[in-house]
Amino acid sequence: MGFLAAIGVLLVLYFIIYICLLLITDCDLGLLWALYFGKSLRKLQGKVIWITGASSGIGEFMAVEFAKNGAKVILSARSEMNLQRVKGRCIEVGASGDNISILAFDVTNMQKHESVFQKAVKCFGKLDILVNNAGRSQRASWEYIDYAVDKEIFLLNVFSAVSLSRLAVKYFETTGIAGQIAVTSSLAGLFPAPYSASYNGSKHAIHGYFKTLTIEKIDSQISVTLLCPGPVFSNFLSQCFTENPGEIFGKNVSEDDRRMETSRCAYLSAVAIVNRVDEAWMGLFPIIPLTYIIVYYPNITKFFLKYIGNRRIMKLRDSRQTVTVVTR
């Protein structure tokens, strides 16, 4: 076999392996490598990790994962009662109660960020990792969304994370700590889904803000990790914004829906964080191969989206047999 023929065979084998991996994995290939060959979660032992939106869903399960692996965890959300429940879960998996601190506050109250940040640092004397997890999704028709909803979603999903992260970056630079900013974004931050314009916009904005931070700090010890889950079991549908201010979508996730388990998403997120992965994609088949196609082959994507239609996209996105499409 000639040299060029050998190269051709290797390339074919490479693409076959690449495609096969995409068909069986529930995360992107960079995260998959970190999962099997990267740092152990035990490297989190002794790290001080502050999680916003820690009272339920992905934030709650991340807190349990961090605590189980020896981290000192600061839990934040609006409900102190729910945070106490999460603290109890952390203790159940072996964490010391002294290593779990509760700091209840509303992340949208920007005026309190400076004082709350100082309290967070005082909990354990330092901060290593800030996990911006607070946020809500949306179901609404583009043309009927009230501007007040746009502002409320951006305040919660984007500006609260940016504000706390700026305080954290200044703190890391002042103290010399090789700190890390993690942000729970979404695959909707890479490509938009129908009937969620404000939410999609907020997640795209997160990528714009934090990828800029990544570039600016590329020569420093500070790292940024964008967590991008697809459909996950949580209470997100019931708490979704709609097109109207003060209104929630109010639908419940069904046990029959095809979604990633919250515990699995939290575990993959923890792997991404401990390995300082820049961007992590997570989702059950066919989410990951579709994400690769949509991101890297936009012309194919345009044809694909026209062919399948919004209703099928929503079925894939909400992973359920019946789909509620928001129209008037």
Side-chain angles (χ1 to χ4, degrees), residues 176-187:
I177 292 174
Q180 184 174 9
I181 306 291
V183 190
T184 302
S185 180
S186 167
L187 292 178

Side-chain angles (χ1 to χ4, degrees), residues 60-79:
E60 173 182 348
F61 280 82
M62 275 198 287
V64 173
E65 197 64 54
F66 294 148
K68 182 169 63 178
N69 285 282
K72 297 178 179 180
V73 184
I74 305 166
L75 307 172
S76 286
R78 289 176 298 177
S79 172

Side-chain angles (χ1 to χ4, degrees), residues 274-301:
V274 76
N275 285 281
R276 296 191 168 220
V277 173
D278 292 340
E279 187 173 284
W281 305 348
M282 296 161 276
L284 298 183
F285 181 84
I287 296 298
I288 297 303
L290 283 178
T291 301
Y292 272 87
I293 292 170
I294 289 169
V295 171
Y296 295 112
Y297 302 98
N299 291 331
I300 295 175
T301 301

Side-chain angles (χ1 to χ4, degrees), residues 216-260:
E216 290 186 11
K217 301 303 176 185
I218 198 165
D219 292 326
S220 78
Q221 298 184 86
I222 299 171
S223 66
V224 179
T225 297
L226 287 165
L227 306 169
C228 305
V232 174
F233 279 107
S234 71
N235 63 343
F236 80 100
L237 268 182
S238 64
Q239 297 302 310
C240 271
F241 287 97
T242 66
E243 62 199 33
N244 302 311
E247 184 178 71
I248 61 173
F249 192 54
K251 303 291 183 180
N252 292 319
V253 173
S254 170
E255 293 181 359
D256 296 330
D257 292 351
R258 179 170 169 74
R259 298 177 177 278
M260 177 176 279

Side-chain angles (χ1 to χ4, degrees), residues 3 13 26 42 50 87 90 139 188 199-200 204 213 272 299:
F3 177 72
L13 288 174
D26 59 359
R42 296 306 296 176
W50 182 17
K87 179 176 180 178
C90 292
R139 297 295 182 273
Y199 175 77
N200 293 333
H204 276 69
L213 175 61
N299 291 331

Side-chain angles (χ1 to χ4, degrees), residues 65-210:
E65 197 64 54
F66 294 148
K68 182 169 63 178
N69 285 282
K72 297 178 179 180
V73 184
I74 305 166
L75 307 172
S76 286
R78 289 176 298 177
S79 172
E80 184 163 354
M81 181 176 68
N82 285 332
L83 293 176
Q84 290 288 356
R85 178 184 58 78
V86 177
K87 179 176 180 178
R89 286 196 61 199
C90 292
I91 293 172
E92 287 175 1
V93 298
S96 165
D98 293 337
N99 286 339
I100 311 297
S101 184
I102 289 175
L103 188 57
F105 79 110
D106 183 348
V107 294
T108 63
N109 189 344
M110 314 288 276
Q111 290 74 24
K112 289 190 174 181
H113 279 195
E114 180 76 48
S115 62
V116 172
F117 187 87
Q118 295 305 321
K119 289 178 182 177
V121 171
K122 289 178 181 177
C123 285
F124 299 108
K126 66 168 185 171
L127 178 66
D128 294 298
I129 303 170
L130 169 62
V131 181
N132 295 288
N133 179 69
R136 286 167 60 191
S137 189
Q138 181 192 36
R139 297 295 182 273
S141 294
W142 192 95
E143 65 271 30
Y144 295 111
I145 298 172
D146 192 292
Y147 179 54
V149 175
D150 293 314
K151 292 195 292 184
E152 192 174 354
I153 289 179
F154 267 71
L155 180 61
L156 173 61
N157 290 4
V158 182
F159 299 136
S160 64
V162 169
S163 174
L164 286 176
S165 296
R166 282 176 174 155
L167 293 170
V169 170
K170 292 173 185 175
Y171 166 79
F172 294 146
E173 290 187 326
T174 300
T175 59
I177 292 174
Q180 184 174 9
I181 306 291
V183 190
T184 302
S185 180
S186 167
L187 292 178
L190 302 172
F191 52 88
Y195 306 110
S196 301
S198 312
Y199 175 77
N200 293 333
S202 72
K203 294 304 182 182
H204 276 69
I206 282 174
H207 283 248
Y209 271 109
F210 286 95

